[in-house]
Amino acid sequence: MSYTVRSSEKLRKSGSEAETKALLYLMNFRMDSDKIYYFVVDFFNDLTGMDSMASKLWDMQSKGAHNVGPNAIGKELVTLFKNYMSELSFEAYILFVGSVTGSLRKDSSIDIFGRSNIKESAIELIKNGLVEEGKDKEYIDNDTLTEKNIDDFLDKVLIVVDNDKKPSEYVKAIIKNHPNIIPEEKILDAIFNEIRDKQAGKKNASSVENIVIETTDEALNYGRHLTNNEIRLMTLQRIINSNPLGKGIPASFVNIYNTWPPENQREMLEDCQRALCRALFNKNAADGFWRLFENTYRLIVEKPNDSVQNLFTMIRSIPDCVSRCPDFDVLSLKYFIAVVKDGIQG
């Protein structure tokens, strides 16, 4: 197998917001979102989801345009069609758009839909647009633009309509099961903007046009990707206004640290830091981590003058709170409490 990167493009501001929404859709709004680990920017397409071993791909074309009609939809599908006709196999082919005209959908209340919700008259216009645009693109083999290929492709396409959802709504989905730690909208917007800027930085890196890869994992060699872990870390960092993986000793932890034998202090501190890193990035216990964080955050706000030891005792007494986050032991959990406490209290 070989794949040649074609049609990469520089990021436009209008597109960057839509592409970040598309990324967060892949990360949080699909039944298979938990399988997506990497988000590869402007390589196979505007955005490509990839599992942790680069064996599964989710192909996404993202456009921030509004009131997109069927013919324009067809034109926007060209890169997805190119990938459909390539030797690669994708789990999904997704077009993310701002809004669509009334001539497209049978049921306009459905914002995530496939061919079954597209009017027959619109299907013909989509085909026309795809063929017209495909013939203009040198990276599309005109021989592939057959009725059968296009029909088979359209059976697999999913259209996602944003309909002007706020950026904050997409960020909330990262921690949607834990409403007590969802911050105010300006913090959610700041998280979104940070993800957007990181994504833009990946896209504006050195050109990958015409690069040939033999295996999908080679796409990661070019550094044009974000990970689930990075995005979770950005979110947590903004909520507590501190880098939870910083290398220093949290002030609230100094009393505990000073009780350790001096010859063991460095090693024990590093063990705590490694445990926190594992807990934050353990996708199999992600919900447990956010539940633990939610309860820790709540208790610190309610009892700002309590010591780390007192907070630890209270958290440990909450049923199933600690047990669902198996990467922590006693010392590393106290370290985590101190990190959150110092972050919240500035």
Side-chain angles (χ1 to χ4, degrees):
M1 183 221 83
S2 65
Y3 180 91
T4 302
V5 178
R6 304 295 299 272
S7 74
S8 63
E9 60 185 13
K10 292 295 182 184
L11 189 65
R12 300 180 301 275
K13 184 175 180 181
S14 61
S16 71
E17 179 174 301
E19 290 180 13
T20 301
K21 288 180 174 181
L23 185 156
L24 293 171
Y25 162 78
L26 278 182
M27 180 175 173
N28 299 302
F29 289 91
R30 291 179 55 83
M31 292 293 291
D32 54 6
S33 285
D34 62 339
K35 298 177 182 177
I36 304 173
Y37 180 73
Y38 292 106
F39 303 94
V40 184
V41 179
D42 196 32
F43 195 92
F44 302 100
N45 208 331
D46 288 338
L47 186 70
T48 306
M50 185 182 285
D51 70 352
S52 59
M53 293 306 296
S55 58
K56 293 183 178 180
L57 303 173
W58 289 257
D59 197 25
M60 177 168 269
Q61 181 75 12
S62 174
K63 296 295 176 185
H66 289 272
N67 295 316
V68 183
N71 186 267
I73 289 282
K75 293 181 178 182
E76 299 293 3
L77 291 173
V78 165
T79 309
L80 290 166
F81 179 76
K82 177 199 73 171
N83 287 339
Y84 174 74
M85 296 307 303
S86 75
E87 296 180 56
L88 298 182
S89 176
F90 292 85
E91 299 295 305
Y93 300 89
I94 306 164
L95 177 64
F96 189 98
V97 294
S99 64
V100 295
T101 63
S103 60
L104 183 71
R105 289 175 285 186
K106 295 176 182 176
D107 184 345
S108 60
S109 68
I110 300 174
D111 287 338
I112 300 174
F113 57 94
R115 183 170 182 163
S116 62
N117 193 43
I118 300 175
K119 297 174 182 177
E120 284 305 314
S121 56
I123 290 290
E124 293 307 310
L125 292 173
I126 289 172
K127 290 179 180 180
N128 291 342
L130 175 55
V131 170
E132 180 183 339
E133 189 74 6
K135 288 180 177 178
D136 283 344
K137 301 294 185 184
E138 61 180 27
Y139 55 80
I140 298 291
D141 181 351
N142 286 351
D143 290 342
T144 65
L145 293 167
T146 66
E147 187 78 16
K148 183 180 188 309
N149 285 342
I150 292 173
D151 270 325
D152 290 346
F153 167 66
L154 292 179
D155 285 341
K156 294 176 173 61
V157 168
L158 188 71
I159 297 175
V160 178
V161 182
D162 172 50
N163 273 340
D164 287 327
K165 292 186 184 71
K166 293 181 179 180
S168 59
E169 292 300 311
Y170 285 91
V171 178
K172 281 181 186 177
I174 299 172
I175 47 177
K176 61 182 179 295
N177 295 329
H178 306 280
N180 292 329
I181 56 172
I182 293 177
E184 58 186 330
E185 187 150 338
K186 68 178 182 179
I187 301 298
L188 293 169
D189 287 341
I191 295 168
F192 183 92
N193 291 343
E194 185 173 358
I195 298 169
R196 181 201 63 203
D197 292 346
K198 289 273 189 182
Q199 191 173 358
K202 301 295 182 182
K203 187 162 188 172
N204 290 330
S206 58
S207 175
V208 292
E209 189 79 4
N210 294 320
I211 282 173
V212 179
I213 59 173
E214 299 299 329
T215 59
T216 53
D217 59 278
E218 291 178 50
L220 302 175
N221 295 346
Y222 298 91
R224 299 174 74 94
H225 59 273
L226 293 166
T227 68
N228 237 312
N229 289 350
E230 289 177 81
I231 295 166
R232 288 198 180 97
L233 179 57
M234 288 182 218
T235 303
L236 181 59
Q237 186 167 319
R238 284 284 181 174
I239 293 173
I240 67 173
N241 197 32
S242 174
N243 179 5
L245 301 182
K247 294 301 182 182
I249 305 169
S252 299
F253 195 67
V254 169
N255 288 342
I256 296 172
Y257 177 85
N258 285 338
T259 65
W260 298 345
E263 65 273 18
N264 295 336
Q265 284 178 337
R266 180 176 178 179
E267 181 180 356
M268 294 173 77
L269 180 65
E270 289 175 349
D271 285 345
C272 290
Q273 292 167 338
R274 282 192 291 267
L276 172 53
C277 188
R278 287 194 303 270
L280 178 58
F281 298 149
N282 184 350
K283 68 178 183 179
N284 296 320
D287 196 60
F289 174 84
W290 288 108
R291 183 168 186 266
L292 174 63
F293 173 57
E294 179 179 31
N295 281 288
T296 302
Y297 187 97
R298 175 181 57 80
L299 285 171
I300 292 169
V301 171
E302 290 175 358
K303 301 178 182 295
N305 297 320
D306 275 31
S307 67
V308 169
Q309 181 62 47
N310 288 344
L311 292 165
F312 169 78
T313 300
M314 287 184 281
I315 289 167
R316 192 169 57 173
S317 69
I318 300 171
D320 297 326
C321 183
V322 176
S323 62
R324 292 176 59 191
C325 205
D327 295 289
F328 285 122
D329 58 17
V330 169
L331 291 177
S332 58
L333 179 53
K334 290 179 181 179
Y335 174 81
F336 174 61
I337 294 167
V339 168
V340 177
K341 180 177 174 66
D342 288 4
I344 292 172
Q345 297 179 343

